[in-house]
Structure formats: structure tokens, C-alpha cells
């Protein structure tokens, strides 16, 4: 049986469609070819990445600490209204500002790393239930890859200061 006699849905796509023309990646600042990043851009990416990692660590530590305080308040037999005020106050004064700082830091780093449509998609994913962490991880991994492509060593807490290019200031 010849390939030409088969129905359309059984033929491979490369026989049905013409080949796509090769297109060059965009070389605009922040997109595509990462080898063209300036030292100032690399320093900015490293700083925003470090700030984002520190914000995540502070958010986790404050969450654990406030959870422990709430546990102690409940275990000591504190009034329900007192624990509610303590929980609400700690959220409004500690957790919410840290979450806002993390979101702004993540957004500023994403703008330096991705195309505008990708940033918009990541913002939508951030507000979708359970996918905010995925967008944070994608951004940190991309920042790490860009920095390593330029010979900057990146550790657990971000880029090493000694490896960053010297930029006036």
C-alpha cells in the first residue's frame, strides 16, 4: 500500500505541510540571544535574583515563626478573639508586605529575562491557584542560566559578588 493512497489523517504532517522557514531569534535587549547582554544588565539580573531569593527565605521563615506563635497562643489557652486578632495582624503587618515585595521583585526580574507576552503569561499563572511557585521557579532558573552563560557562578543565594562584572557604582 502506497503512502499516497492513505487518508489524510494517517499521513505524517511533514508530508502534508510545507517546511517552515527558519527564523532568527530576536536579538533585542532581554530576548533571544543572551550573549549580547551588557554588564549592567547582568548585574541587575543578579541583584534582582538575589533579592527574590531572600524574599522567599524571609517569607518562609516568617510563616514558620508566626505559625509557631499561633500554636503557642492556642496551646496556652488564649481567647479565640485574641488569636484571631493576632493572626490577622501578623498577616497584614508581616506576611502581606513580604508577598507584595516578592511579587514586585519577581515581576521586575521577569521583565529583564522574558518577552512581554511571556511575562503576561507568567503573571496570569501567578494568580492561578497553585501555579505562582511554578512561575517563580521558571524565573529563577532562567536567571541562573543567563548568568551562567556569562561565566558568573550562581549558588544557593544567587550570584557570587566576586564574579559580577565591575560596573561604575
Amino acid at each position: 500500500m502506497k503512502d499516497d493512497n492513505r487518508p489524510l489523517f494517517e499521513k505524517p504532517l511533514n508530508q502534508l505541510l510545507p517546511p517552515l522557514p527558519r527564523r532568527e531569534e530576536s536579538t533585542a535587549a532581554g530576548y533571544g540571544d543572551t550573549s549580547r547582554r551588557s554588564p549592567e544588565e547582568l548585574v541587575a539580573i543578579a541583584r534582582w535574583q538575589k533579592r527574590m531569593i531572600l524574599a522567599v527565605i524571609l517569607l518562609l521563615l516568617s510563616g514558620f515563626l508566626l505559625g509557631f506563635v499561633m500554636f503557642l497562643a492556642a496551646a496556652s489557652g488564649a481567647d479565640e478573639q485574641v488569636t484571631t486578632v493576632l493572626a490577622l495582624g501578623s498577616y497584614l503587618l508581616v506576611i502581606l508586605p513580604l508577598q507584595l515585595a516578592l511579587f514586585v521583585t519577581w515581576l521586575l526580574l521577569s521583565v529583564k529575562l522574558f518577552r512581554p507576552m511571556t511575562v503576561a503569561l507568567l503573571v496570569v499563572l501567578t494568580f492561578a491557584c497553585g501555579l505562582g511557585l511554578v512561575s517563580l521557579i521558571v524565573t529563577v532558573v532562567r536567571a541562573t542560566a543567563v548568568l551562567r552563560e556569562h561565566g558568573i557562578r550562581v549558588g544557593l543565594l544567587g550570584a557570587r559578588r566576586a564574579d559580577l562584572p565591575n560596573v561604575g557604582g
Side-chain angles (χ1 to χ4, degrees):
M1 185 169 166
K2 285 179 108 179
D3 285 339
D4 297 333
N5 294 335
R6 292 190 297 176
L8 284 178
F9 61 86
E10 289 182 357
K11 290 184 180 181
L13 281 178
N14 59 359
Q15 289 180 357
L16 298 173
L17 301 173
L20 291 174
R22 291 290 224 197
R23 65 181 184 132
E24 299 290 323
E25 283 193 66
S26 172
T27 56
Y31 313 130
D33 185 15
T34 58
S35 63
R36 298 181 188 260
R37 293 191 189 266
S38 67
E40 292 85 10
E41 264 189 301
L42 293 173
V43 169
I45 289 170
R47 284 182 181 159
W48 285 115
Q49 181 191 32
K50 185 175 287 269
R51 290 173 185 160
M52 192 169 86
I53 292 170
L54 290 176
V56 168
I57 290 171
L58 284 174
L59 191 60
L60 289 173
L61 288 177
S62 64
F64 285 127
L65 180 65
L66 292 173
F68 183 69
V69 168
M70 292 301 298
F71 170 74
L72 289 179
S76 68
D79 189 22
E80 185 177 323
Q81 290 177 342
V82 172
T83 56
T84 303
V85 168
L86 180 64
L88 185 61
S90 61
Y91 177 76
L92 290 176
L93 295 176
V94 179
I95 303 291
L96 187 63
L98 280 173
Q99 286 177 334
L100 290 174
L102 178 62
F103 178 75
V104 169
T105 305
W106 166 81
L107 187 62
L108 291 172
L109 180 60
S110 295
V111 166
K112 294 202 172 291
L113 294 171
F114 300 112
R115 291 184 167 99
M117 282 304 292
T118 307
V119 173
L121 177 66
L122 287 173
V123 168
V124 170
L125 287 177
T126 299
F127 291 112
C129 183
L131 296 177
L133 183 61
V134 172
S135 60
L136 282 173
I137 291 171
V138 165
T139 305
V140 169
V141 168
R142 174 70 176 166
T144 300
V146 167
L147 293 172
R148 284 187 178 160
E149 282 177 13
H150 290 84
I152 299 171
R153 290 179 285 183
V154 181
L156 183 63
L157 295 177
R160 295 185 54 176
R161 195 176 294 251
D163 291 342
L164 293 177
N166 288 331
V167 178

